[in-house]
Amino acid sequence: MDKLSKVKGIGPKSELLLNKIGIYTIDDLVTHFPFRYDVLERTDIRTIDDPNQKIVIDGKVESVPLIIRFKGGLNKLNFRLYTTYGSVGVSIFGRAFLKKNLPVGENIIVIGKYDKSKNILNASDIRFGDLSCKKIEPVYHLTSGITSKNLHTFINLGLLTYGKEVYDYIPDYLLDKYDYSNKKTCLNIIHNPDNLTKLEEVKERLKYEELFVFMSKINYLKTLNKKNIGIERKIDLKILDKLYKLIPFTLTEDQDKVLKEIIDDLNAPKMMNRLLQGDVGSGKTIVSIAAMYFNKLSGYQSALMAPTEILATQHYNNIKKLIGEKLEVRLLIGSLSKKEKLKIYEELETGLVDIVIGTHALIQEDVKYFNLGLVVTDEQHRFGVNQRANLKNKGITPDVLYMSATPIPRTFALTIYGDMDISIIKEMPKGRLPVKTLVKSDEEIPEVLDLMYKELQEKHQIYVIAPLIEGDEESELTSVNDLRDKMNLAFGTKYKIEVLHGKMPNNLKDDIMFKFKENKINILISTTVIEVGVDVPNASMMVIFDANRFGLSTLHQLRGRVGRSDKQSYCILISDSDTKRLEIMESTNDGFKISEEDFKLRGSGDLFGTKQSGDMEFKIASIRKDYDLLLKAREDSLEYLEDEKYDKDKLKQELLSEILDS
Ligand code: ADP
Ligand code: MG
């Protein structure tokens, strides 16, 4: 991909700014799509009676602008403007610098409010040009130091440079079929539209391309999987009875059912490629442990990959406790010394180790296995499509089990996980009381502290969540560090309070998590790093500050950290705004319903929680909103991949190599 520095007009300084919003290549730049458009259309100001209504009007500067200066550096510019509706006075604050650009006769557009009684426009913005026809202005996501206009200029420069090598992933025959314009034209239009109908057409085409690429990857994986001959085992399910004796509970019917599906796959000669879906707290972990235990008894090694080291450590401790005496279990994480790591590598290669647990480095680095038979990835939504293929490129074809707590409806799951079989756990372990959720305002915080105190007296533990690690002056958001001080004031004399966040070194994080699990910490104040998977059944309350800052799906994942025992648990959402949305959390504990509601309220938004992996995040398409288009792209990409007559070189080169090499 071409570097930004190749674009004439983008220097090193601008490049750094663009990097801040995730733009590194020319391709990133020209596909940084506007998130909305401002449509400027001339208002008939004669009909405006409300002096607070926003209006847009164009005209010619009629008099030389007069600068009025006030104390404290404030200034005001006054001039007359000749419009279609006659001459009006214009007044704007803080734009004295514009005077030289406003000679008499200049065509300008004024945005502001119109005071009919005084025939004055109180302007908030002035642009150049006229509104003889509607003007459509793109609005972009920005970072400080860069304006929408600057960014727009950069993008247009990028388009000039990009011109020659724009690669269109939609094959020609499909472009013809749908009468889609060529890509370069589309990119030009989406950044510089002059017609709303055409804009919609172009957007659809760009969405289609994105979905086509996505579905091609998935469909290609599917064809790869079909060819994969896996390990055939011939072991009876009964062998697991030994394991059941070690578990302090009986499996739910759903857990039994999905485990049976997994064991059938393991026994079958084809390679398993299965997604295990189940809401937070539904008990997926034990199912995977049973699968790994079964795998060991059939003579193979297992690897369990978690998205974070905290989670990996937690799984390790659980597994160690359950079956550590019967099996050789190892934890492979970054904080180990080189020597310790080398030892584990060796034990994996010689076949001494039965189960190894770690992050996805387990597969990415040059770890050699004696006979890896099963790979489990926890919290699949944090890994991307590219990683799905990864496992199959080490000259081994282990069976693969993906686990995900993402509550997406089955039809969607079938499409976006189309290369996998799906098992679902619907039912929660028995005896669980639904978490009670309460929305509270800032004013009610003293009441919340009372509730916290009651839980602490019961010897229960509490999570407190804030959106930021450290506060800054500009932001009114609560930070973890603020809360530490406040919580210490309130409870510090009697209770142990600790802080956890993503910027801490891993060994410190693990240490704190471990202490919390051991009930040596009463209140854990954290950012969303604890969002995924952490399991401390004695924690019965979660208090989330500035709850309005989080998507409902994220809140649901967070809330899933409590309610993991037979105790009544509570989730308290503190917010002064957006309470209607938050009240949905009060009304249901069902992850599927919440993601639906989230969708209705926020558009495509947070369907998968915020920490979606890169390649499931779309730049312009939305799996939900553009579902029909996604289905179309699925069909088309299947046909395209299967039919010999289509040349797939470019697609393979660009996409599949990405899958195969990553
Ligand atoms: P998740 O599906 O979110 O990963 P976990 O596997 O962490 O959920 O399980 C949540 C909690 O429920 C754990 O403490 C686990 O030990 C417990 N659990 C799992 N299955 C059962 C069951 N059948 N009966 C009772 N408790 C269970
Ligand atoms: Mg889990």
Side-chain angles (χ1 to χ4, degrees):
M1 292 285 173
D2 284 331
K3 290 259 161 54
L4 283 177
S5 48
K6 265 197 164 175
V7 180
K8 264 204 201 107
I10 298 186
K13 240 181 158 174
S14 314
E15 191 172 345
L16 276 179
L17 279 173
L18 291 168
N19 289 170
K20 273 200 192 165
I21 35 178
I23 299 175
Y24 294 91
T25 63
I26 301 183
D27 196 72
D28 293 341
L29 180 65
V30 298
T31 57
H32 185 81
F33 298 123
F35 72 96
R36 68 177 168 85
Y37 294 86
D38 278 341
V39 179
L40 297 184
E41 206 174 354
R42 185 185 295 156
T43 318
D44 183 349
I45 51 172
R46 292 168 306 188
T47 64
I48 300 295
D49 291 318
D50 176 0
N52 281 317
Q53 188 180 329
K54 200 179 152 190
I55 61 102
V56 184
I57 183 80
D58 58 333
K60 277 185 197 311
V61 176
E62 206 183 357
S63 69
V64 177
L66 195 71
I67 298 178
I68 304 164
R69 295 198 185 273
F70 305 95
K71 267 188 227 153
L74 206 62
N75 64 65
K76 190 170 158 187
L77 209 53
N78 285 339
F79 59 94
R80 295 203 68 78
L81 184 73
Y82 191 75
T83 77
T84 323
Y85 311 111
S87 171
V88 292
V90 177
S91 179
I92 184 165
F93 280 100
R95 303 288 167 95
F97 62 88
L98 271 185
K99 177 179 160 114
K100 60 181 182 306
N101 301 322
L102 298 171
V104 171
E106 186 72 17
N107 284 313
I108 62 166
I109 300 166
V110 175
I111 300 165
K113 289 166 181 171
Y114 180 57
D115 187 336
K116 198 175 192 172
S117 60
K118 297 188 188 129
N119 191 27
I120 287 228
L121 282 167
N122 292 303
S124 55
D125 199 8
I126 290 176
R127 319 253 175 103
F128 296 90
D130 68 65
L131 293 173
S132 46
C133 58
K134 236 188 253 178
K135 219 175 152 130
I136 309 169
E137 295 193 328
V139 185
Y140 298 94
H141 284 298
L142 302 168
T143 178
S144 63
I146 203 162
T147 63
S148 207
K149 207 170 163 196
N150 275 338
L151 185 58
H152 193 205
T153 310
F154 288 148
I155 289 171
N156 281 332
L157 288 170
L159 281 169
L160 289 176
T161 316
Y162 191 69
K164 287 175 222 112
E165 318 111 55
V166 178
Y167 185 72
D168 198 336
Y169 290 103
I170 308 179
D172 288 344
Y173 78 95
L174 287 172
L175 287 180
D176 287 346
K177 179 174 169 190
Y178 297 122
D179 203 13
Y180 283 150
S181 315
N182 82 49
K183 181 144 172 199
K184 189 172 177 213
T185 311
C186 293
L187 289 173
N188 267 318
I189 291 176
I190 198 157
H191 292 294
N192 304 286
D194 58 11
N195 169 325
L196 287 175
T197 325
K198 188 71 197 156
L199 177 63
E200 282 315 309
E201 277 172 36
V202 159
K203 270 167 118 175
E204 175 182 308
R205 182 243 186 268
L206 292 168
K207 285 176 182 174
Y208 174 82
E209 183 179 1
E210 215 178 8
L211 295 167
F212 180 80
V213 168
F214 176 70
M215 285 315 306
S216 296
K217 284 189 190 184
I218 287 177
N219 286 327
Y220 186 69
L221 284 177
K222 202 166 166 177
T223 54
L224 282 185
N225 291 342
K226 271 195 202 149
K227 291 190 201 128
N228 279 327
I229 315 266
I231 302 164
E232 185 173 357
R233 302 168 180 79
K234 285 207 172 84
I235 296 198
D236 200 285
L237 194 64
K238 285 223 166 56
I239 204 172
L240 288 176
D241 288 348
K242 281 191 215 161
L243 175 71
Y244 295 151
K245 291 205 182 93
L246 304 171
I247 308 177
F249 46 76
T250 41
L251 295 190
T252 62
E253 265 172 44
D254 276 4
Q255 282 172 320
D256 265 335
K257 185 193 76 194
V258 300
L259 186 54
K260 177 138 196 326
E261 290 167 352
I262 292 165
I263 303 285
D264 283 348
D265 275 1
L266 290 178
N267 275 334
K270 79 167 176 86
M271 186 199 139
M272 171 167 79
N273 191 42
R274 185 170 286 278
L275 175 71
L276 172 55
Q277 266 202 316
D279 208 348
V280 279
S282 61
K284 295 182 291 295
T285 315
I286 191 67
V287 173
S288 72
I289 294 176
M292 290 190 289
Y293 184 76
F294 184 88
N295 183 50
K296 150 70 188 171
L297 296 184
S298 46
Y300 294 94
Q301 295 174 298
S302 303
L304 169 57
M305 310 196 293
T308 62
E309 297 206 336
I310 290 186
L311 258 191
T313 311
Q314 172 181 296
H315 284 317
Y316 173 73
N317 291 325
N318 275 338
I319 294 174
K320 191 95 186 133
K321 213 160 62 193
L322 273 179
I323 47 176
E325 283 180 15
K326 302 209 150 36
L327 267 53
E328 292 292 336
V329 187
R330 297 287 183 278
L331 177 66
L332 189 59
I333 51 173
S335 51
L336 295 183
S337 70
K338 190 136 193 238
K339 209 175 132 198
E340 291 168 309
K341 278 186 198 160
L342 286 174
K343 182 151 179 279
I344 297 180
Y345 291 153
E346 200 193 306
E347 292 173 334
L348 282 168
E349 204 171 346
T350 58
L352 179 85
V353 172
D354 301 315
I355 297 179
V356 63
I357 298 153
T359 59
H360 55 269
L362 279 186
I363 289 296
Q364 275 171 352
E365 280 162 19
D366 242 347
V367 187
K368 294 201 186 72
Y369 294 86
F370 177 66
N371 65 354
L372 185 63
L374 173 63
V375 175
V376 180
T377 54
D378 193 13
E379 307 298 346
Q380 163 62 28
H381 64 289
R382 302 277 295 269
F383 297 101
V385 180
N386 291 349
Q387 270 118 27
R388 285 189 214 168
N390 242 328
L391 311 173
K392 289 144 224 170
N393 292 286
K394 301 275 159 183
I396 41 170
T397 48
D399 288 302
V400 189
L401 177 67
Y402 302 93
M403 301 197 286
S404 170
T406 314
I408 49 173
R410 193 173 173 88
T411 41
F412 290 112
L414 284 173
T415 310
I416 64 171
Y417 296 112
D419 54 322
M420 305 180 187
D421 297 310
I422 301 181
S423 291
I424 299 181
I425 303 183
K426 281 238 171 77
E427 157 197 33
M428 287 286 170
K430 287 193 186 65
R432 290 286 164 75
L433 293 166
V435 178
K436 272 196 186 139
T437 302
L438 307 164
V439 179
K440 298 278 179 191
S441 65
D442 284 350
E443 264 181 23
E444 292 169 301
I445 288 178
E447 210 177 292
V448 175
L449 293 175
D450 277 347
L451 291 170
M452 288 176 70
Y453 188 59
K454 276 194 197 123
E455 285 304 300
L456 290 167
Q457 280 179 315
E458 298 280 333
K459 301 208 163 41
H460 297 165
Q461 291 159 278
I462 302 179
Y463 294 102
V464 177
I465 309 292
L468 296 181
I469 299 174
E470 232 158 332
D472 61 52
E473 271 140 49
E474 279 169 42
S475 163
E476 288 187 359
L477 294 180
T478 316
S479 75
V480 163
N481 287 338
D482 286 346
L483 284 179
R484 183 204 356 235
D485 298 342
K486 287 189 181 132
M487 293 293 153
N488 264 319
L489 264 180
F491 305 112
T493 49
K494 279 177 86 174
Y495 296 100
K496 179 101 171 107
I497 298 162
E498 277 293 354
V499 158
L500 183 78
H501 57 73
K503 292 220 171 111
M504 289 173 17
N506 285 331
N507 53 352
L508 191 57
K509 273 194 284 195
D510 289 346
D511 189 47
I512 288 174
M513 238 12 261
F514 189 68
K515 282 192 185 137
F516 190 62
K517 271 172 148 322
E518 296 284 291
N519 201 359
K520 288 184 181 128
I521 293 169
N522 305 99
I523 302 178
L524 183 64
I525 306 171
S526 170
T527 54
T528 53
V529 292
I530 60 114
E531 178 191 340
V532 155
V534 174
D535 184 39
V536 183
N538 187 52
S540 62
M541 181 176 274
M542 173 168 282
V543 182
I544 305 175
F545 282 79
D546 296 317
N548 57 312
R549 298 294 297 191
F550 302 102
L552 294 183
S553 301
T554 303
L555 290 173
H556 179 67
Q557 292 278 332
L558 283 167
R559 178 169 64 180
R561 300 308 113 221
V562 296
R564 299 188 146 243
S565 69
D566 50 8
K567 298 179 189 85
Q568 177 61 59
S569 289
Y570 301 88
C571 174
I572 300 174
L573 304 174
I574 300 178
S575 171
D576 274 345
S577 57
D578 215 5
T579 40
K580 265 252 130 33
R581 186 171 68 95
L582 296 174
E583 278 162 10
I584 293 169
M585 300 294 296
E586 290 184 322
S587 68
T588 180
N589 274 296
D590 179 336
F592 284 88
K593 254 193 211 146
I594 287 168
S595 84
E596 288 284 318
E597 290 296 333
D598 214 7
F599 174 72
K600 274 189 223 150
L601 288 165
R602 290 161 54 115
S604 70
D606 194 39
L607 187 60
F608 301 100
T610 45
K611 294 210 186 80
Q612 192 57 34
S613 78
D615 59 4
M616 298 268 276
E617 225 167 55
F618 295 93
K619 282 185 168 164
I620 183 164
S622 138
I623 291 184
R624 238 336 267 270
K625 276 193 194 159
D626 305 315
Y627 190 60
D628 291 340
L629 206 54
L630 180 74
L631 291 180
K632 191 153 99 173
R634 179 175 69 174
E635 291 314 308
D636 292 343
S637 72
L638 260 178
E639 186 191 332
Y640 171 67
L641 287 171
E642 275 168 9
D643 201 324
E644 302 279 319
K645 72 172 177 275
Y646 302 125
D647 173 17
K648 281 161 280 243
D649 286 358
K650 186 71 186 180
L651 187 86
K652 282 209 173 126
Q653 224 172 303
E654 298 280 326
L655 302 168
L656 306 174
S657 68
E658 196 180 302
I659 293 183
L660 296 175
D661 300 341
S662 62

